[in-house]
Amino acid sequence: MSIAKTYTPADVEAKWYQRWQEQGFFKAKANPRKKPYTVVIPPPNVTGVLHMGHMLNNTIQDVLVRRARMQGKEACWVPGTDHASIATEAKVVALLKEQGIEKKDLTREQFLEHAFAWKEKYGGIILEQLKQLGASCDWDRTRFTMEPELTEAVLRVFVDLHQKGLVYRGIRMVNWDPLGQTALSDEEVIPKDVMAKMYHLKYEVVSSEYVDSAQEQGEKSQYSIPNTQYLTVATSRPETIMADVAVAVNPNDPRYTHLHGAKVRIPLLNREIPVILDEYVSIDFGTGALKVTPAHDLNDYELGVKHNLPVIDILNNDGSLNEKAVLYVGQDRFAARRNIVKDLEEAGHLVKVEEYASIVQTSERTKAVIEPRLSLQWFLKMEHLAKPALEVVENDTVKLHPAKFKNTYRVWMENVRDWCISRQLWWGQQIPAYYLPDGTYVVALTAEEALIQAREQSGNADLQLTDLRQDEDVLDTWFSSWLWPISVFDGFKDPDNADVNYFYPTNDLVTGPDILFFWVARMIMAGLEYRKEVPFRNVYLTGIVRDAQGRKMSKQLGNSPDPLDLIKQFGADGVRTGMLFSAPAGNDLLYDEKLVEQGRNFSNKLWNAFRLIKGWEVDAALPFPNEKAVEWFSAKLNATIAELDEHFEKFRMSDALMTVYKLVWDDFCSEYLEMIKPAYQAPIDPETLRLTTVFLETLLKLLHPFMPFITEEIWHELKERGPKEYVCVAAWPKVQPVANSAEVLARMERALGIVGGVRTIRNQKGLGPNKPLTLAAKTDDAQLLTDYDGIIRKLAALTDVSVVTEAPAASVGFVAGSSEFFVPLEGQIDLGAEKERLSKELEYAQGFRDSVLKKLANEKFVANAKPDLVERERQKLADAEAKITALEQSLAAL
RNA sequence: GGGAGAUUAGCUCAGCUGGUUCAGAGCAUCUGCCUUACAAGCAGAGGGUCACUGGUUCGAACCCAGUAUCUCCCACCA
């Protein structure tokens, strides 16, 4: 038979994925005899494509799910997509524009038709891509946040929250995205550091009550005496002066006491506005005078309310100036700014321009600069929902991994503000509020129900459906995704159905910290509000995938590899393990192709271990010579399984992978297989083959969650399997205690230490790996040499191992444990070098002994330290002294 | 401006309640090897004042205080 020397993933991956699906391994059904294990996918944007972040995130989920499945749980991973209202609508608008169609020329229905067509065409590509990664989702459960059932869930919740008095409508200063032309929630706004310009503008003072009080106290003032004819204000937004309704100064500012009660004239416009006094104004920032523009700044709005000022809104939805501005009407805000600066300068109103570091708020989705804007929006009160949601994280009912995110979570929850849930878009769930002709409104699940309510509310029994007008706005996307863990099991339509009762609460959620508030926190709120139970127990927060230089991956930089290309090149298993090698929870992953290369190499290593075993011929007559090797590997394997389980419990995925990686590569391949490997083309005894096959099968099981494809391939190539016998559903190995495990491991470690010593000498002396050598040991543990004789001779390529009392002449030595070993080497001995080596060794041992002595001589140590610790120190001292004696003798013998 | 976390080998990170294994792992580097499972490999080696300064303790990478640097989160100074 011949097996390919290198593993070629492309040949087998699609095959196994299909088989698993045919077998229905990924399907989950409520099964009272099994424990449920549930994960809901963070639904990717329906029109999105797979990027590296998805790869990391979904690999982690798949590892968790596959392991749970093998542990005999009813593993249920629910896939699906998100309608992503702003992002998708923006994409559709852009696409239509390319076709020469403007959104404003379409009706809502026509637009939605286009949007759904787009969704049908491109939607769900990402889910197909996930299959190539090996994601073991229950595809029959695939959901979409805007499908009819989930939309109904959203509407039900809206109606319910409205009935509870938690949803309200109000005029508030909201974050307006002039590009998306919609309001955004506070969480969708990203502050960006910029260098901005501060314009100092002169406003002419026009007051009859002018009193020059500043002049009198001028000498005492730390501030320069202002121009009495003008008041200078500092602003970063000169184009909004047309919306000014006042100029505010601090009442305690001595520079401006003469202006108390005065009026000033807006430049260019010449409209008069009052000077108001408010301690909100900082004396030492800017000029100490603040222009008040209630329509376009939150603080100004609050000042306006406090001082009873009018509101002048000079902006259109798209960020251009409207006729209320009088000047620059129709120009975009930034164009208007450029123009007005020029005009102000010409008119002599521009005193100076300063550069200063500032922050602009931008839209997370469209990147547009946010315009604070007063508008009528729907809000959800958060206080009632946030309180219990904070509590369950504080008391670890929901555990965040890593736990440091608890702090972030707490701060946000304690300061949470009401959630603006309306969006001025079409792609999404239209708000089920219906306006009556009299301007009042009702909220109901359907138009028909709304009509009944409306008739009652208005006392007008003749109202018709056509008299009602439904709110134009849709709900924030997150208003559907916060219900996801419940809605995917139809928990709103049918709150007592078998699925939701069985699979909810889910177990683990894997997502990025960037949506901790958007999504995670709100799911916890919804879960507690609607099921009285948290939606999940553990939240694993991944990092961001960056490039090797730590930059975020982006299309512009071109530093983001195509995940599907990577899978083609390195295999899904290689990519999965590559991503996981260096991805502790919460840490950013610096992606480097070397990582997936390492993953690919690991696949190949495993493949070749299989090739070796598969290639052996059996001779039934041979005795079993590998008791020590088998005993040791059993112990090692079981110790490692325990370690692995612990890593999983703590969600240390990288550590878990590294643990199996080393078990396979170092312990199994480098040590165990080398110990039992028959000579070239020699047959193997049946018992060793049987046991080794079992070992390999166990390793395949441990590896399967990480590397599903290659493990399944080898599983089936290794021997004939029953029709349902897949590693995918094999039982996860349990720790089986091995007698004297610690001692077995320790003794083999010492034996391997001897092997290492001989190999080091081979390397140092340039002897090559196979030159026959002998070994002489000065040791008080001759039994070790007897027990491990075969292993030591084989791995170190020795023809003979003997016990001696004196160092043989002309030999090179090394120390392992407290014993000394010698390799006789005719004519290759450098006496000087040997002396130097021994002296160094001796010096180190003496230093070590002295430090232990010092410790033991310290009365306080002996008195305060734990007794067994002191005992150990005494043992260390004895060992060190024995070693020193041996070294001194050897040195004297030279 | 407020808060949280971090700083350990060239890189990415472990290091649990201070005390065997306390200075580790993987990758990278260097030196030998095409030794018939694997050169996508084998064998071996060299890398660190545990950010800095003090303190507590018999004993500190670990506890405390301060300093520096970095990251993240929150925040309305025009």
Side-chain angles (χ1 to χ4, degrees), chain A residues 326-447:
Chain A
V326 181
L327 304 169
Y328 313 105
V329 174
Q331 295 187 16
D332 181 73
R333 52 196 166 140
F334 297 115
R337 183 179 305 171
R338 282 193 298 277
N339 291 329
I340 197 171
V341 167
K342 210 170 68 201
D343 295 345
L344 284 166
E345 190 170 12
E346 279 169 12
H349 285 282
L350 186 63
V351 179
K352 63 170 172 177
V353 181
E354 283 176 338
E355 291 265 328
Y356 80 116
S358 178
I359 292 166
V360 295
Q361 306 290 341
T362 62
S363 163
E364 195 207 18
R365 293 294 184 185
T366 68
K367 312 296 175 204
V369 174
I370 292 302
E371 197 61 52
R373 191 152 192 245
L374 278 178
S375 63
L376 189 55
Q377 302 286 344
W378 292 90
F379 292 87
L380 176 58
K381 287 185 192 166
M382 295 303 266
E383 202 185 340
H384 157 82
L385 294 165
K387 229 178 136 190
L390 173 57
E391 214 172 282
V392 294
V393 170
E394 288 284 31
N395 67 22
D396 280 340
T397 309
V398 175
K399 285 201 192 75
L400 305 185
H401 304 273
K404 67 175 177 182
F405 285 109
K406 255 171 107 166
N407 292 321
T408 315
Y409 183 87
R410 182 189 315 115
V411 170
W412 190 76
M413 285 304 231
E414 282 171 349
N415 300 297
V416 68
R417 288 182 293 174
D418 288 353
W419 176 9
C420 175
I421 52 175
S422 44
R423 296 289 181 276
Q424 289 65 48
L425 302 167
W426 283 343
W427 180 245
Q429 281 100 11
Q430 194 172 357
I431 292 178
Y434 299 83
Y435 298 94
L436 281 60
D438 64 7
T440 62
Y441 66 87
V442 294
V443 168
L445 203 53
T446 62

Side-chain angles (χ1 to χ4, degrees), chain A residues 62-73 576 637-649 652-653 655-657 659-661 663-664 694 697-708 711 715 726-736:
Chain A
D62 196 43
V63 171
L64 294 172
V65 169
R66 283 182 184 270
R67 177 165 174 270
R69 187 177 294 121
M70 294 172 74
Q71 284 175 319
K73 295 175 187 163
R576 290 165 64 112
L637 184 58
N638 281 287
T640 308
I641 293 172
E643 199 184 319
L644 186 61
D645 284 340
E646 202 187 321
H647 285 315
F648 272 120
E649 295 318 311
R652 303 204 272 218
M653 309 300 282
D655 292 330
L657 171 61
T659 301
V660 208
Y661 178 84
L663 176 69
V664 171
V694 172
E697 285 176 335
T698 307
L699 294 176
L700 292 176
K701 292 178 197 168
L702 296 176
L703 281 168
H704 181 77
F706 300 103
M707 317 179 88
T711 49
W715 181 261
Y726 286 74
V727 69
C728 178
V729 289
W732 182 255
K734 288 204 174 69
V735 178
Q736 291 165 336

